[in-house]
Amino acid sequence: MGAVERDIVRAIPGASYIDLTNQFCDKNTCHAFINGKLAYRDRHHLATPFAESLEPVVEKALF
């Protein structure tokens, strides 16, 4: 799916793709709890406290 997402973002002027997979998945597993925080709210959404903890990583990628 990542390749499809990147292709879509490339088609949007001024848009950027930031792959955060390595923040919650290792080679074999996408972890449910990371640093004591629940990572997923459901199968398709990150839990808010964990998503908020990604702010520094996103900010670094953007700037």
Side-chain angles (χ1 to χ4, degrees):
M1 183 69 151
V4 172
E5 292 167 343
R6 285 188 289 276
D7 289 344
I8 292 168
V9 171
R10 281 190 201 110
I12 302 169
S16 297
Y17 180 87
I18 303 170
D19 185 354
L20 298 173
T21 306
N22 66 348
Q23 297 299 310
F24 46 95
C25 299
D26 61 26
K27 257 181 146 173
N28 301 310
T29 306
C30 292
H31 302 281
F33 284 89
I34 300 167
N35 296 327
K37 293 181 174 75
L38 179 65
Y40 300 97
R41 182 179 61 167
D42 60 32
R43 290 181 58 147
H44 304 288
H45 299 92
L46 295 175
T48 300
F50 176 69
E52 289 171 342
S53 77
L54 296 173
E55 180 183 0
V57 179
V58 173
E59 186 174 34
K60 183 178 180 182
L62 290 174
F63 303 107

